[in-house]
Amino acid sequence: MFEGIIDVKGKSLFVKYNQTYEYQPTIVFLHDSLGSVQLWRGFPEKLAEATQCNVLLYDRLGYGKSFPMETHKRENDYMVQEADVLNDLLSELNINNATLFGHSDGGTIALITASKYPQKIKAVICEAGHIFVEDITVKGVEEALHTYNTTNLPARLQKYHGDKVETMVKAWTEIWLSKKFKSWNIEYLLKNITCPLLFIQGENDEYGTLDQVEKTISQVSGTAEKFIIPNIGHTPHKEVPEIVLNRSVEFINSLVN
Protein backbone atom coordinates (compact mmCIF):
# COMPACT_ATOMS: atom_id res chain seq x y z
CA MET A 1 0.00 0.00 0.00
CA PHE A 2 1.33 3.42 -0.99
CA GLU A 3 -0.33 6.53 0.38
CA GLY A 4 1.15 9.98 -0.24
CA ILE A 5 2.02 12.71 -2.71
CA ILE A 6 3.29 11.85 -6.20
CA ASP A 7 4.69 14.43 -8.63
CA VAL A 8 3.04 13.99 -12.03
CA LYS A 9 4.73 16.33 -14.50
CA GLY A 10 4.80 19.18 -11.97
CA LYS A 11 1.42 18.42 -10.38
CA SER A 12 1.56 17.19 -6.78
CA LEU A 13 -1.25 14.67 -6.39
CA PHE A 14 -2.34 12.68 -3.35
CA VAL A 15 -2.46 8.99 -4.26
CA LYS A 16 -3.63 5.89 -2.44
CA TYR A 17 -2.50 2.74 -4.26
CA ASN A 18 -3.10 -0.78 -2.98
CA GLN A 19 -1.29 -3.52 -4.93
CA THR A 20 -2.56 -6.60 -3.12
CA TYR A 21 -3.08 -8.88 -6.11
CA GLU A 22 -0.06 -9.57 -8.32
CA TYR A 23 -0.75 -9.67 -12.06
CA GLN A 24 -4.33 -8.51 -11.55
CA PRO A 25 -5.88 -5.36 -13.10
CA THR A 26 -6.16 -2.10 -11.18
CA ILE A 27 -9.48 -0.34 -10.59
CA VAL A 28 -8.93 3.43 -10.73
CA PHE A 29 -11.49 5.64 -8.98
CA LEU A 30 -12.22 9.13 -10.34
CA HIS A 31 -14.15 11.41 -8.00
CA ASP A 32 -16.82 14.00 -8.81
CA SER A 33 -16.72 17.83 -8.85
CA LEU A 34 -16.61 18.21 -5.07
CA GLY A 35 -15.18 14.79 -4.28
CA SER A 36 -11.96 13.32 -2.92
CA VAL A 37 -10.29 10.04 -2.04
CA GLN A 38 -11.80 10.15 1.45
CA LEU A 39 -15.34 10.74 0.21
CA TRP A 40 -15.40 7.37 -1.59
CA ARG A 41 -15.57 5.87 1.93
CA GLY A 42 -15.17 2.08 1.92
CA PHE A 43 -16.68 1.42 -1.52
CA PRO A 44 -13.38 1.07 -3.47
CA GLU A 45 -11.92 -1.44 -1.02
CA LYS A 46 -15.10 -3.55 -1.12
CA LEU A 47 -15.06 -3.62 -4.93
CA ALA A 48 -11.36 -4.44 -5.05
CA GLU A 49 -11.76 -7.29 -2.57
CA ALA A 50 -14.82 -8.74 -4.31
CA THR A 51 -13.08 -8.75 -7.70
CA GLN A 52 -9.53 -9.54 -6.51
CA CYS A 53 -8.28 -6.39 -8.21
CA ASN A 54 -5.78 -3.76 -7.11
CA VAL A 55 -7.14 -0.28 -6.42
CA LEU A 56 -5.88 3.24 -7.09
CA LEU A 57 -7.51 6.40 -5.78
CA TYR A 58 -6.22 9.94 -6.24
CA ASP A 59 -7.28 13.51 -5.60
CA ARG A 60 -7.20 15.70 -8.70
CA LEU A 61 -5.19 18.90 -8.39
CA GLY A 62 -7.08 21.32 -6.12
CA TYR A 63 -9.00 18.56 -4.32
CA GLY A 64 -8.59 16.61 -1.10
CA LYS A 65 -4.96 16.29 -0.05
CA SER A 66 -3.48 17.22 -3.44
CA PHE A 67 -1.81 20.59 -3.92
CA PRO A 68 -3.98 23.64 -4.83
CA MET A 69 -5.05 24.66 -8.32
CA GLU A 70 -3.12 27.59 -9.77
CA THR A 71 -6.40 29.28 -10.68
CA HIS A 72 -10.14 28.56 -10.55
CA LYS A 73 -10.51 29.56 -14.21
CA ARG A 74 -11.18 26.66 -16.52
CA GLU A 75 -11.55 26.21 -20.26
CA ASN A 76 -14.10 23.97 -21.98
CA ASP A 77 -11.50 21.21 -22.36
CA TYR A 78 -10.64 20.97 -18.66
CA MET A 79 -11.78 17.35 -18.44
CA VAL A 80 -9.66 16.44 -21.49
CA GLN A 81 -6.71 17.94 -19.61
CA GLU A 82 -7.61 15.79 -16.59
CA ALA A 83 -7.62 12.69 -18.80
CA ASP A 84 -4.07 13.59 -19.87
CA VAL A 85 -3.04 13.90 -16.20
CA LEU A 86 -4.56 10.48 -15.48
CA ASN A 87 -2.63 9.00 -18.38
CA ASP A 88 0.59 10.49 -16.98
CA LEU A 89 -0.22 9.08 -13.51
CA LEU A 90 -0.85 5.61 -14.95
CA SER A 91 2.49 5.82 -16.78
CA GLU A 92 4.25 6.93 -13.59
CA LEU A 93 2.86 3.90 -11.74
CA ASN A 94 3.34 1.54 -14.70
CA ILE A 95 -0.36 0.65 -14.85
CA ASN A 96 -1.38 -0.67 -18.29
CA ASN A 97 -4.56 -2.60 -17.48
CA ALA A 98 -6.82 -0.12 -15.68
CA THR A 99 -10.54 -0.44 -15.14
CA LEU A 100 -11.84 3.09 -14.58
CA PHE A 101 -14.70 3.77 -12.16
CA GLY A 102 -15.68 7.43 -12.48
CA HIS A 103 -18.52 9.37 -10.89
CA SER A 104 -20.01 12.55 -12.47
CA ASP A 105 -17.04 14.62 -13.73
CA GLY A 106 -14.97 11.56 -12.95
CA GLY A 107 -17.22 9.49 -15.21
CA THR A 108 -16.69 11.94 -18.05
CA ILE A 109 -12.93 11.90 -17.48
CA ALA A 110 -13.05 8.09 -17.58
CA LEU A 111 -14.80 8.16 -20.98
CA ILE A 112 -12.30 10.67 -22.37
CA THR A 113 -9.34 8.66 -21.07
CA ALA A 114 -10.66 5.45 -22.64
CA SER A 115 -11.08 7.33 -25.91
CA LYS A 116 -7.62 8.92 -25.95
CA TYR A 117 -5.56 6.15 -24.33
CA PRO A 118 -7.28 2.85 -25.22
CA GLN A 119 -4.08 0.82 -24.84
CA LYS A 120 -4.10 1.38 -21.07
CA ILE A 121 -7.81 1.01 -20.32
CA LYS A 122 -9.34 -2.44 -19.86
CA ALA A 123 -12.90 -1.28 -19.11
CA VAL A 124 -14.96 1.69 -17.89
CA ILE A 125 -17.69 1.99 -15.29
CA CYS A 126 -19.21 5.43 -15.81
CA GLU A 127 -21.56 6.51 -13.04
CA ALA A 128 -23.70 9.60 -13.76
CA GLY A 129 -21.23 11.00 -16.28
CA HIS A 130 -21.97 13.72 -18.84
CA ILE A 131 -21.22 13.97 -22.55
CA PHE A 132 -23.06 17.27 -23.19
CA VAL A 133 -24.73 20.05 -21.21
CA GLU A 134 -28.44 19.84 -20.37
CA ASP A 135 -30.75 22.39 -18.73
CA ILE A 136 -31.20 20.00 -15.79
CA THR A 137 -27.42 19.99 -15.27
CA VAL A 138 -27.21 23.78 -15.19
CA LYS A 139 -30.14 23.90 -12.78
CA GLY A 140 -28.48 21.33 -10.55
CA VAL A 141 -25.25 23.34 -10.42
CA GLU A 142 -27.20 26.53 -9.65
CA GLU A 143 -28.97 24.80 -6.77
CA ALA A 144 -25.70 23.38 -5.45
CA LEU A 145 -24.16 26.86 -5.51
CA HIS A 146 -27.17 28.24 -3.63
CA THR A 147 -26.75 25.50 -1.02
CA TYR A 148 -23.07 26.37 -0.73
CA ASN A 149 -23.88 30.05 -0.17
CA THR A 150 -26.71 29.53 2.33
CA THR A 151 -25.80 26.49 4.46
CA ASN A 152 -22.86 25.02 6.34
CA LEU A 153 -21.69 23.18 3.21
CA PRO A 154 -18.40 25.16 3.08
CA ALA A 155 -17.48 23.94 6.56
CA ARG A 156 -18.41 20.36 5.67
CA LEU A 157 -16.27 20.49 2.53
CA GLN A 158 -13.36 22.04 4.43
CA LYS A 159 -13.04 18.80 6.39
CA TYR A 160 -11.93 17.08 3.17
CA HIS A 161 -10.39 19.87 1.08
CA GLY A 162 -8.95 22.28 3.65
CA ASP A 163 -8.43 25.84 2.47
CA LYS A 164 -8.94 24.85 -1.19
CA VAL A 165 -12.76 24.81 -0.93
CA GLU A 166 -13.59 28.25 -2.31
CA THR A 167 -11.34 27.84 -5.35
CA MET A 168 -12.66 24.33 -5.98
CA VAL A 169 -16.32 25.42 -5.89
CA LYS A 170 -15.60 28.42 -8.14
CA ALA A 171 -13.77 26.19 -10.61
CA TRP A 172 -16.75 23.84 -10.87
CA THR A 173 -19.66 26.28 -10.86
CA GLU A 174 -18.24 29.11 -12.99
CA ILE A 175 -17.40 26.92 -15.99
CA TRP A 176 -20.66 24.94 -15.89
CA LEU A 177 -22.76 28.11 -15.55
CA SER A 178 -20.86 30.03 -18.24
CA LYS A 179 -22.28 30.77 -21.70
CA LYS A 180 -19.23 29.32 -23.42
CA PHE A 181 -19.75 25.91 -21.79
CA LYS A 182 -23.26 25.42 -23.19
CA SER A 183 -21.65 24.16 -26.41
CA TRP A 184 -19.43 21.63 -24.63
CA ASN A 185 -19.87 18.13 -26.05
CA ILE A 186 -17.63 15.03 -26.18
CA GLU A 187 -19.81 12.82 -28.37
CA TYR A 188 -17.17 13.03 -31.11
CA LEU A 189 -14.78 11.04 -28.87
CA LEU A 190 -17.13 8.16 -28.08
CA LYS A 191 -16.47 6.17 -31.27
CA ASN A 192 -12.86 5.75 -30.11
CA ILE A 193 -13.91 3.84 -26.98
CA THR A 194 -13.33 0.18 -27.78
CA CYS A 195 -13.24 -1.35 -24.28
CA PRO A 196 -16.31 -2.70 -22.45
CA LEU A 197 -18.45 -0.01 -20.81
CA LEU A 198 -21.02 -0.10 -18.02
CA PHE A 199 -23.02 3.12 -17.58
CA ILE A 200 -24.76 3.39 -14.20
CA GLN A 201 -27.32 6.11 -13.57
CA GLY A 202 -30.07 6.88 -11.09
CA GLU A 203 -33.43 7.35 -12.78
CA ASN A 204 -33.98 10.55 -10.77
CA ASP A 205 -30.50 11.99 -11.30
CA GLU A 206 -30.79 15.72 -10.58
CA TYR A 207 -27.84 16.54 -12.86
CA GLY A 208 -28.69 14.66 -16.04
CA THR A 209 -31.35 12.82 -18.02
CA LEU A 210 -31.15 9.30 -19.39
CA ASP A 211 -30.14 10.84 -22.75
CA GLN A 212 -26.62 10.94 -21.32
CA VAL A 213 -26.72 7.16 -20.99
CA GLU A 214 -28.49 6.30 -24.25
CA LYS A 215 -26.36 8.57 -26.44
CA THR A 216 -23.18 7.25 -24.86
CA ILE A 217 -23.82 3.54 -25.17
CA SER A 218 -25.15 3.94 -28.73
CA GLN A 219 -21.96 5.64 -29.97
CA VAL A 220 -19.08 3.72 -28.40
CA SER A 221 -17.37 1.04 -30.50
CA GLY A 222 -16.99 -1.54 -27.74
CA THR A 223 -19.66 -3.50 -25.90
CA ALA A 224 -21.82 -1.27 -23.73
CA GLU A 225 -24.36 -1.94 -21.01
CA LYS A 226 -26.61 0.37 -19.04
CA PHE A 227 -27.80 -0.04 -15.47
CA ILE A 228 -30.59 2.37 -14.57
CA ILE A 229 -31.63 2.35 -10.91
CA PRO A 230 -35.22 3.48 -10.13
CA ASN A 231 -35.90 6.16 -7.51
CA ILE A 232 -32.21 7.02 -7.14
CA GLY A 233 -30.40 10.34 -7.72
CA HIS A 234 -26.91 11.45 -8.71
CA THR A 235 -24.83 9.28 -6.34
CA PRO A 236 -25.94 5.65 -6.66
CA HIS A 237 -22.79 4.27 -4.99
CA LYS A 238 -23.73 6.20 -1.83
CA GLU A 239 -27.52 5.88 -2.04
CA VAL A 240 -27.65 2.13 -2.80
CA PRO A 241 -24.05 0.93 -2.37
CA GLU A 242 -24.80 -2.79 -2.31
CA ILE A 243 -26.77 -2.65 -5.56
CA VAL A 244 -24.00 -0.72 -7.33
CA LEU A 245 -21.32 -2.94 -5.81
CA ASN A 246 -23.02 -6.16 -6.93
CA ARG A 247 -23.58 -4.91 -10.49
CA SER A 248 -20.01 -3.62 -10.73
CA VAL A 249 -18.60 -6.93 -9.48
CA GLU A 250 -20.69 -8.78 -12.06
CA PHE A 251 -19.41 -6.50 -14.83
CA ILE A 252 -15.74 -6.68 -13.82
CA ASN A 253 -15.83 -10.46 -13.33
CA SER A 254 -17.31 -10.85 -16.82
CA LEU A 255 -14.25 -9.27 -18.42
CA VAL A 256 -11.79 -11.57 -20.15
CA ASN A 257 -8.46 -11.31 -18.31
Side-chain angles (χ1 to χ4, degrees), residues 50-80:
T51 56
Q52 302 284 283
C53 288
N54 301 304
V55 63
L56 170 67
L57 301 98
Y58 73 103
D59 292 324
R60 296 195 293 277
L61 195 70
Y63 294 82
K65 297 177 183 176
S66 289
F67 280 33
M69 304 176 194
E70 290 182 8
T71 173
H72 72 273
K73 295 186 183 300
R74 284 175 168 170
E75 298 302 323
N76 281 18
D77 68 344
Y78 79 94
M79 285 184 277
V80 173

Side-chain angles (χ1 to χ4, degrees), residues 185-202:
N185 189 307
I186 62 160
E187 288 181 85
Y188 70 98
L189 291 172
L190 297 178
K191 66 181 182 298
N192 299 324
I193 299 176
T194 55
C195 67
L197 166 69
L198 172 63
F199 203 130
I200 299 172
Q201 183 142 326

Side-chain angles (χ1 to χ4, degrees), residues 184-240:
W184 173 81
N185 189 307
I186 62 160
E187 288 181 85
Y188 70 98
L189 291 172
L190 297 178
K191 66 181 182 298
N192 299 324
I193 299 176
T194 55
C195 67
L197 166 69
L198 172 63
F199 203 130
I200 299 172
Q201 183 142 326
E203 194 174 43
N204 298 336
D205 191 326
E206 59 272 34
Y207 287 94
T209 72
L210 296 181
D211 277 354
Q212 303 284 348
V213 182
E214 299 297 342
K215 290 185 177 180
T216 299
I217 65 173
S218 67
Q219 295 182 75
V220 297
S221 297
T223 58
E225 306 170 48
K226 62 182 177 181
F227 185 55
I228 310 303
I229 309 174
N231 305 314
I232 294 301
H234 188 58
T235 54
H237 71 276
K238 289 184 178 179
E239 296 170 62
V240 284

Side-chain angles (χ1 to χ4, degrees), residues 62-135:
Y63 294 82
K65 297 177 183 176
S66 289
F67 280 33
M69 304 176 194
E70 290 182 8
T71 173
H72 72 273
K73 295 186 183 300
R74 284 175 168 170
E75 298 302 323
N76 281 18
D77 68 344
Y78 79 94
M79 285 184 277
V80 173
Q81 294 176 35
E82 291 293 353
D84 295 339
V85 173
L86 173 55
N87 176 63
D88 291 337
L89 177 60
L90 294 177
S91 295
E92 184 74 25
L93 297 174
N94 198 30
I95 295 172
N96 298 301
N97 58 350
T99 292
L100 305 181
F101 189 117
H103 173 235
S104 195
D105 261 21
T108 302
I109 294 165
L111 292 173
I112 296 170
T113 305
S115 169
K116 291 190 70 178
Y117 304 103
Q119 70 279 7
K120 290 182 182 175
I121 309 305
K122 180 183 178 70
V124 171
I125 299 175
C126 176
E127 182 189 37
H130 297 89
I131 58 170
F132 53 88
V133 180
E134 296 180 287
D135 290 342

